Amino acid sequence: MRNEFSLAYLVPLITILLFAVFFKVVVKIPLIWSVVVTVLGYVAYAFLQTALAKLLFGSIAAAQGNASNGYLLQFASGFITILLSIWLYKIGWGFKFDFERLRFKFEDVLMILLIIFFLIFVSVIFYYNDLFVNILFFAAVTVFLLYYAIRKEAEEDND
């Protein structure tokens, strides 16, 4: 799709949808949580990769300038993500909420609408490929989704 139909800006959206379906079907978590987990992971990783592109190369265009820059960016992103994951696991950080206790209230409908907005907006952002907007957008979405997930987990601990 990326090369044959010149639809590179849609690839992230399709990837997000495929991972959400994967979590729903294989991991067996409710659809809303599969989308939340997928979007949160994607946004956090995109924020890391965008920040690394700015730090290492000055821009996304420079990172895409030649294949070795792309490989270095992918390696650095993966390496940092693995180290961060191991560290978070060792200190006991993570989410342990009961996915099956999903309650559909007004808040959940709002969350669904925000995720749909994110999926549409991320396609537009990648289409225009503005580095500063990428960093701001991914940081804001990461903070929002982490706040939402932490608050939901705290609510379940209080029940």
Side-chain angles (χ1 to χ4, degrees):
M1 287 185 66
R2 181 180 305 226
N3 297 331
E4 292 297 321
F5 300 113
S6 299
L7 296 176
Y9 62 95
L10 283 180
V11 172
L13 175 65
I14 293 167
T15 303
I16 289 170
L17 294 174
L18 288 175
F19 270 106
V21 170
F22 170 78
F23 283 127
K24 170 69 178 145
V25 173
V26 176
V27 183
K28 306 270 190 227
I29 60 176
L31 184 60
I32 184 68
W33 279 116
S34 68
V35 173
V36 168
V37 168
T38 301
V39 170
L40 179 58
Y42 192 87
V43 166
Y45 194 76
F47 173 71
L48 172 70
Q49 212 166 40
T50 304
L52 280 173
K54 176 70 173 165
L55 182 72
L56 295 174
F57 305 107
S59 69
I60 291 176
Q64 295 172 337
N66 64 41
S68 62
N69 288 354
Y71 293 135
L72 177 61
L73 181 61
Q74 290 293 347
F75 175 78
S77 301
F79 185 72
I80 290 171
T81 301
I82 290 169
L83 288 179
L84 184 60
S85 299
I86 291 169
W87 178 69
L88 289 172
Y89 179 76
K90 286 191 182 271
I91 65 171
W93 275 27
F95 297 110
K96 58 185 180 281
F97 45 77
D98 183 8
F99 286 114
E100 298 308 318
R101 292 186 43 183
L102 179 65
R103 293 171 295 222
F104 285 97
K105 296 180 181 176
F106 175 76
E107 173 183 308
D108 294 323
V109 172
L110 177 62
M111 190 67 194
I112 291 168
L113 292 174
L114 286 173
I115 289 170
I116 291 169
F117 170 75
F118 166 78
L119 294 175
I120 294 167
F121 198 65
V122 77
S123 296
V124 172
I125 285 177
F126 282 133
Y127 180 76
Y128 289 109
N129 206 13
D130 184 356
L131 184 63
F132 183 70
V133 174
N134 284 3
I135 291 172
L136 286 178
F137 178 72
F138 289 130
V141 172
T142 301
V143 167
F144 172 75
L145 289 173
L146 279 172
Y147 169 77
Y148 177 77
I150 290 168
R151 197 182 83 214
K152 289 296 274 185
E153 184 173 340
E155 285 177 10
E156 289 185 7
D157 285 344
N158 290 334
D159 289 343

